[in-house]
Amino acid sequence: MPPFERHLFVCVNERGPDDARGCCAAKGADEVRARLKKLTFEARLRGRVRINSAGCLDRCERGVTIVVYPEAVWYGGVTLDDVDEIFNEHLLHGRPVERLRIPE
């Protein structure tokens, strides 16, 4: 049994403003990660769900990228407005948010 039911990695990679790929940090990654951590804490999921920062997940052009394990679901273009939906649908009910999913 893995130590966590779900483990989320939020890309917070930062690149210079002249990089054509952009970066998740400039698109609100810290705020997305902080909101996920707050919701996890409020739902008393500590020890069951882990939210971590990640370096580059190589999906820079898609905006803030999140990967959720063990399902290996990748989300792209995540904004602060999307966080509650990901938390409620995926983390609490096991239903990935298809509109944000990066195709395999």
Side-chain angles (χ1 to χ4, degrees), residues 36-46 49 51 87:
L36 282 164
K37 287 182 73 77
K38 181 178 190 293
L39 291 170
T40 300
F41 177 79
E42 289 173 351
R44 298 181 180 186
L45 294 176
R46 186 172 181 228
V49 173
I51 312 295
F87 184 82

Side-chain angles (χ1 to χ4, degrees), residues 2 24 28 37-38 59 62 86 101-102:
C24 292
K37 287 182 73 77
K38 181 178 190 293
R59 301 290 189 268
R62 295 188 182 271
I86 291 170
R101 214 167 169 175
I102 297 173

Side-chain angles (χ1 to χ4, degrees), residues 2-101:
F4 301 107
E5 292 173 24
R6 290 204 170 78
H7 201 155
L8 283 74
F9 294 91
V10 180
C11 179
V12 296
N13 191 54
E14 188 170 357
R15 288 197 172 90
D18 59 334
D19 193 304
R21 294 172 294 178
C23 67
C24 292
K27 296 174 183 166
D30 286 332
E31 292 83 4
V32 165
R33 182 179 167 272
R35 178 71 180 155
L36 282 164
K37 287 182 73 77
K38 181 178 190 293
L39 291 170
T40 300
F41 177 79
E42 289 173 351
R44 298 181 180 186
L45 294 176
R46 186 172 181 228
R48 293 176 48 204
V49 173
R50 176 82 176 182
I51 312 295
N52 279 104
S53 297
C56 185
L57 293 172
D58 203 25
R59 301 290 189 268
C60 314
E61 70 283 356
R62 295 188 182 271
V64 178
T65 301
I66 297 173
V67 62
V68 182
Y69 289 106
E71 299 100 323
V73 171
W74 287 68
Y75 292 116
V78 177
T79 67
L80 193 54
D81 291 337
D82 299 317
V83 173
D84 286 36
E85 182 179 6
I86 291 170
F87 184 82
N88 290 321
E89 290 299 315
H90 194 156
L91 298 186
L92 293 181
H93 296 102
R95 298 183 298 251
V97 179
E98 295 300 328
R99 69 180 183 82
L100 296 170
R101 214 167 169 175

